[in-house]
Amino acid sequence: MAGKNPLQKCFLFIILSLNLMSLHAETGQKKTYVVHMDKSAMPSPYTNHLQWYSSKIDSVTDPKSHEEEGNRILYTYQTAFHGLAARLSKEEAARLEEEPGVVAVIPETRYELHTTRSPRFLGLERQESERVWAERVTDHDVVVGVLDTGIWPESESFNDTGMSPVPSTWRGVCETGRGFLKHNCNRKIVGARVFYRGYEAATGKIDQELEYRSPRDKDGHGTHTAATVAGSPVRGANLLGFAYGTARGMAPKARVAAYKVCWVGGCFSSDILSAVDQAVADGVHVLSISLGGGISTYSRDSLAIATFGAMEMGVFVSCSAGNGGPDPISLTNVSPWITTVGASTMDRDFPATVRLGTRRVFKGVSLYKGRTVLSPGKQYPLVYLGRNASSPDPTSFCLDGALDQHNVAGKIVICDRGVTPRVQKGQVVKRAGGVGMILTNTATNGEELVADCHLLPAVAVGEKEGKVIKEYAMTSKRATASLEILGTRVGIKPSPVVAAFSSRGPNFLSLEILKPDLLAPGVNILAAWSGDMAPSSLSSDKRRVKFNILSGTSMSCPHVSGVAALIRSRHPDWSPAAVKSALMTTAYVHDNMLEPLTDAAGAEPSSPYDHGAGHIDPLKAIDPGLVYDIGPQEYFDFLCTQELSPSQLKVFTKHSNRSCRHSLAGNNPGNLNYPAISALFPENTHVKAMTLRRTVTNVGPHVSSYKVSVSPFKGATVTVQPKTLNFTTKHQKLSYTVTFRTKLRMKRPEFGGLLWKSATHKVRSPVIITWLPPL
């Protein structure tokens, strides 16, 4: 069994101590728990599982409380995994965990949302992608389940003109409620459901004045992600004139099923799990989940358990990596059967400038368009209320109530990024009488620029420019500035660039599994929006738009979900792992200036801990040549290497006959047939060599020959055997080994790549070598 070094164990203990705390509000002494059950253990007197589950809850609770509180069971789960969600006291939960047939009792977790250019940027021009889709009638039968805030069905992005009837294999329904009727579903939106029992149990009844207790999306986030996945083409789409063009999803002929799991107060695990369970039962082919809830061990991560069940049923699962960057080890959704997506920029931008009284000009970005317009030729008084240009303090963040009208009225105000939402700072400036805002990055964000739909003329600038502008405002008695918003520009170089906010590796739960898996566009993404929410998402903003521009790994995740739907339509027999492999091995690691991908946080080259296998290349992913396939049993054997007890492993054994077969050579998790290769040398310095094994499946030309090349490493020699793979039939599997021999134990991980190249295909795997510090 693979051990973990003391540093790792200590770090994991800290993470788990923080993240396994119950994050929901309490109602009395009761909390929601997700209870995982061993389906095969149901005694014969019971005729169905609900009957059995009810008896289990009754056995640990006071019968009087049932009369006072009604049914304790919120949900039962029976497709992706087996169990229930129930309201229990801490003592009741402890008693229930001791009951026969109960595998695990896990406290409710609260998850948070990870908040037209992209199809063209990704090479999915209309003619090419139409050809991709036209080759199969079954293209229209791919259904993507989107777990989010619901959907705004009137958006033109969900127009179903020209789509074939809903396939007879689809088992989903269109649930109705306030603002959502049966006719709101069509041949594009084929299903819509709501999940709120866990949310209401934790927070109280949903206020229907604030949000819809139906699939209708008031927030906008779910509409945006669903349209990014599979939105129908809409000509002339724009946000207040910005990003004008044709908006369309990655897979414009795919169907969407909306599963509303997120509400004003967050997204709760019992609801999310019910949605995953139901989506799999409904017949989705792809699940797009743009949310996360911290990192837990595999056996305590309910989303990991549910998505393992979805993977077993052939469903591809795409999740956002999180917006915790540029801090290392900030990832969520790290399970190897999940495709974890980081965010990158595109070659489109929304430039704006700041011109100081010294005539010096600084570049920034903005999406402001409103009645208030600053004259480009006129200089306005400039003020910064912070005390130090290099280290922000509370007064510099333009927090509510922090600005004195006497100091601000008629001036452009400099505000530091952080603490409160970026657009909210402009609202504070506007209320205090300011005429404009310069939003300056701090060290956390570096030079990354995210454009926002501000409520007053505002320009966002990078940290270096911000320091110079703040220094000028603090040292010049008559500091002045002017702002100019320049519209939309395309062809920006360099791009893509790793977004500073995109969460980073390594995956400390399993250092042998590279995370994130890959990058997709996640900065300044235009897509459909709710008719009930302003583009700034502020209640005081009365503007309404049909499309909005958002940034976050929430935006990059549906890009991958949509491309996975494209691949699935072309290769309906491929496993989720084969689809992931196709995306990873065809990803690129150079920008449009042919330089290595860089990191917006510091303009330095990024590493696989930042960009994974690289940036998605959809058209190449449809025809990858070779794939690294992984079946459910192999994923389970990976779990068998993770120091989980038999009872902890049991939460993943939906079928009671699944057991550890030790198919990974040497019981080494690094031998999971992952598209990325990670050699982890233990603390024992006597271990000088390590051999990892991989198997590739030919999905390209029947007869093909691939030759290998490996990048050089300072700390180790790398040998691949054999050096040539000769395929004679389609779907043929061939194996190879990679042997690492230490020359010099490096203090930091080393990164490189392994490439199999034929006359027609290149299949690339990132390679990471890590030496754990000696004990």
Side-chain angles (χ1 to χ4, degrees), residues 379-429:
Q379 289 282 310
Y380 297 82
L382 178 68
V383 62
Y384 177 60
L385 299 175
R387 292 189 292 272
N388 187 317
S390 58
S391 57
D393 60 65
T395 58
S396 71
F397 289 110
C398 299
L399 307 182
D400 263 330
L403 301 185
D404 186 339
Q405 192 166 355
H406 178 74
N407 296 328
V408 170
K411 298 176 182 177
I412 293 173
V413 182
I414 302 169
C415 299
D416 283 313
R417 186 172 162 184
V419 184
T420 56
R422 300 181 298 271
V423 179
Q424 192 174 316
K425 297 175 188 294
Q427 182 184 45
V428 173
V429 171

Side-chain angles (χ1 to χ4, degrees), residues 442-458:
T442 63
T444 303
N445 317 106
E447 303 312 305
E448 173 183 70
L449 298 179
V450 178
D452 291 298
C453 196
H454 291 284
L455 292 165
L456 84 170

Side-chain angles (χ1 to χ4, degrees), residues 496-518:
V497 171
V498 180
F501 62 74
S502 186
S503 287
R504 313 305 170 92
N507 167 14
F508 244 75
L509 212 51
S510 306
L511 285 168
E512 299 88 350
I513 304 297
L514 174 67
K515 291 285 177 173
D517 289 305
L518 35 75

